[in-house]
Amino acid sequence: MKSMHTANHETTRAALGAAVADPFFAEGLFDALPDVVFFVKDGEGRYVVVNQTLVQRCGQRHKSALIGRTPAEVFAHPFGQTYHAQDLMVLAGDNDIEDQLELHLYPNRDPGWCLTRKTALRDADGRIVGLTGISRDLAMADKKNPAYRKVAAAVTVIHEQYGQPLQLPELARIANMSVAQIERYFLRIFHLTPRQMIIQTRVDAASRMLNGDASVAEIAQACGYGDHSAFTRQFKATTGLTPSQYRRVASGRSGD
C-alpha cells in the first residue's frame, strides 16, 4: 500500500505535468550542454526535438536541418542506417538502451567516445509512441579521486596488455581490491566499467590499425580477439560499422 507521502507526491507530480504548457521544456536546458546530445523522435524514428550539440555534431547550423528526418537522412552512410536500425528496435519494444559504449566519427572524421541511452516513450495506454535519448561524451578521468592510484595499475595493464586475455578477478587482484570494489571505483573515476574500458582500449587500437595495411584478421588477433567474427561483432556494436566499413569511411573512400 502506498504511503500518504508517496500518494501526495504522485498527485503533485501529475498536477504539475498537466500544468506545464510545453512537454519539451528540457530542450533549452540541453542546448546549454556541449558534451551531451539530446533528442526526441516520433514513432517512425524522425527527429521531433534536438539540442544544439546534436545539430553541430551533424555539421549543420540550424535545428530545422534535422527536424522531421531520420538519422539515416542526416548522418553519413552507413552510420545513419545503423542509428536508425537501433531506433527501430527500441520503438518495437525490444529493449531500451542503457549506457551503451559507442565510438562516433564526427564530420571532421575525428573519433569521439560516448555513452548512449535510448528510452521508449509510451502513451497513457502503454503504447510506444516515440523515443528519447542522450549521448554523453566520456569525461576525463578524475585523477584527483583518492582511489585513482589504487586502480592505476589495473588501468596500465589494460592499456599495455589489451591484446591478451584480461579477466576482471585478475585486474581486481592487481588493484588489491575485490571485484565489487574495482567495478565501483572504475565507474566513479572513469564513468566506465572495467569491461567497457577493455572494449574502448581494444577498439581504439583497432581503429588506429585500420588506417594501416594489416588485415582485419591480423588486427583482431593483435587486439585480443582470437575469433575474427567475435572481433567484427564487437567492433560493429561499438562503432556501428564493420572493421572494413570503418576503414573505408575513416580513409574517406566510399563503399558499403
Side-chain angles (χ1 to χ4, degrees):
M1 183 178 293
K2 294 181 181 178
S3 68
M4 182 65 71
H5 174 77
T6 300
N8 289 339
H9 172 71
E10 291 181 355
T11 299
T12 302
R13 175 187 172 98
L16 178 59
V20 173
D22 181 5
F24 302 128
F25 62 88
E27 178 183 352
L29 298 176
F30 280 104
D31 278 338
L33 300 177
D35 60 342
V36 176
V37 159
F38 167 72
F39 51 82
V40 178
K41 300 175 185 177
D42 65 15
E44 302 298 323
R46 295 178 294 238
Y47 290 108
V48 176
V49 178
V50 297
N51 73 335
Q52 197 59 40
T53 301
L54 177 55
V55 174
Q56 293 168 352
R57 298 283 171 88
C58 292
Q60 302 294 333
R61 298 181 61 187
H62 305 291
K63 293 181 180 182
S64 58
L66 276 64
I67 301 302
R69 304 171 72 187
T70 69
E73 298 170 299
V74 170
F75 288 93
H77 179 81
F79 288 95
Q81 285 73 11
T82 299
Y83 301 153
H84 187 51
Q86 191 183 65
D87 291 342
L88 293 179
M89 290 196 319
V90 174
L91 291 167
D94 292 346
N95 273 310
D96 287 350
I97 294 170
E98 296 186 3
D99 286 340
Q100 178 167 315
L101 182 66
E102 295 183 334
L103 178 65
H104 291 178
L105 277 182
Y106 299 120
N108 60 1
R109 301 193 185 281
D110 283 343
W113 285 98
C114 66
L115 291 174
T116 296
R117 283 184 170 237
K118 293 184 178 180
T119 302
L121 297 174
R122 299 176 184 270
D123 64 15
D125 296 319
R127 293 186 293 263
I128 294 177
V129 294
L131 67 89
T132 186
I134 60 171
S135 287
R136 293 184 294 115
D137 293 350
L138 279 179
M140 297 295 291
D142 180 11
K143 295 184 178 182
K144 295 181 180 179
N145 191 297
Y148 179 82
R149 290 187 179 182
K150 293 182 179 180
V151 300
V155 172
T156 298
V157 169
I158 292 173
H159 286 168
E160 294 182 353
Q161 301 180 29
Y162 59 83
Q164 305 300 319
L166 295 172
Q167 303 297 327
L168 185 54
E170 177 61 16
L171 293 175
R173 186 195 65 77
I174 291 170
N176 196 28
M177 294 180 177
S178 68
V179 168
Q181 284 177 320
I182 196 171
E183 287 187 322
R184 184 167 63 251
Y185 283 123
F186 260 66
L187 281 172
R188 187 178 301 170
I189 298 168
F190 304 105
H191 312 285
L192 293 172
T193 65
R195 181 177 180 276
Q196 286 176 322
M197 180 174 283
I198 292 170
I199 293 172
Q200 180 191 37
T201 304
R202 286 175 171 172
V203 172
D204 265 338
S207 63
R208 291 193 299 269
M209 294 179 198
L210 286 167
N211 288 319
D213 298 325
S215 70
V216 172
E218 290 170 335
I219 293 172
Q221 188 72 34
C223 293
Y225 295 91
D227 181 0
H228 171 277
S229 60
F231 166 65
T232 298
R233 286 195 302 272
Q234 182 65 75
F235 193 90
K236 185 172 183 180
T238 307
T239 67
L241 306 176
T242 65
S244 296
Q245 288 174 325
Y246 185 94
R247 169 172 270 163
R248 287 192 287 268
V249 171
S251 66
R253 299 195 300 270
S254 61
D256 293 340

